[in-house]
Amino acid sequence: RIRTPRIDALAAEGVRMVHAYSAAPVCAPPRCALMTGLHAGHCTVDHNDQPNLPIGLADPTIAEVLGHAGYRTALIGKWGLGGETEEGEPFGTFSMPAEMGFSHVLAVVDQARAQDHYPERLLAGESWRAIPGNAGGASVTYDEDLFVEDALAFVAQAAREDRPFFLYFASTLPHRTFDPPAV
């Protein structure tokens, strides 16, 4: 019913996965399973929690493996595998995306904060990037717009470099409120 020529082209030229298994009915355990390749029963993250449970230090991630093989790696969107304290600081830098093999990061770190689509800041690489339009609780800059723009730029850069890439794009849209900006 809806024409999707670009998605159809990606499916024709790439890998299609038409059957899937989720490691759990909540988001953190499947995210850990996807990142580590471990069965849910062996993942260090086996349930959603606050603060977020981190991936185990000894668990290699797909980003680390692909990075060692020459891929550019990116996490854009929601991390949720190592969260923040109430003061907004990471409770363990070892669990941050850059420490888990991602060379490019633009993300909401904590899964609870991913429910606000107008964050005051995002993790960019290894430091925080303020989103001025959202300061003080304002709702000006929509996170998903920033994520899509960043993902497109990442893919374009990988194409210019003619280098393989792994992009883990974890949209925040499934979370709680659906409040996109007015068009």
Side-chain angles (χ1 to χ4, degrees), residues 90-158:
F91 66 83
T93 55
F94 67 88
S95 64
M96 299 304 278
E99 297 298 320
M100 294 288 151
F102 289 99
S103 58
H104 179 90
V105 176
L106 183 65
V108 174
V109 174
D110 193 87
Q111 63 190 23
R113 295 183 194 277
Q115 297 173 31
D116 174 12
H117 299 294
Y118 297 91
E120 290 189 24
R121 67 185 185 152
L122 295 170
L123 184 68
E126 296 184 46
S127 59
W128 297 107
R129 178 175 129 195
I131 311 300
N134 296 343
S139 298
V140 175
T141 306
Y142 194 52
D143 65 353
E144 206 65 26
D145 290 340
L146 297 174
F147 296 146
V148 168
E149 180 182 298
D150 196 53
L152 291 172
F154 174 80
V155 171
Q157 180 66 34

Side-chain angles (χ1 to χ4, degrees), residues 27-32 34-36 45 48 52-56 59 61-64 74-84 90-102 104-114 122-123 128 147 166 168-172 175:
C27 63
R31 188 179 307 277
C32 183
L34 178 66
M35 288 295 110
T36 64
V45 179
N48 281 3
N52 305 158
L53 298 170
I55 292 177
D59 297 338
T61 66
I62 188 171
E64 290 172 319
L75 160 70
I76 299 172
K78 175 184 163 184
W79 178 235
L81 290 170
E84 301 174 43
F91 66 83
T93 55
F94 67 88
S95 64
M96 299 304 278
E99 297 298 320
M100 294 288 151
F102 289 99
H104 179 90
V105 176
L106 183 65
V108 174
V109 174
D110 193 87
Q111 63 190 23
R113 295 183 194 277
L122 295 170
L123 184 68
W128 297 107
F147 296 146
F166 171 66
Y168 176 52
F169 186 89
S171 175
T172 59
H175 295 88

Side-chain angles (χ1 to χ4, degrees), residues 2-18:
I2 299 172
R3 296 180 198 272
T4 57
R6 291 189 174 100
I7 293 172
D8 295 344
L10 282 172
E13 298 171 16
V15 176
R16 290 183 62 215
M17 297 178 196
V18 296

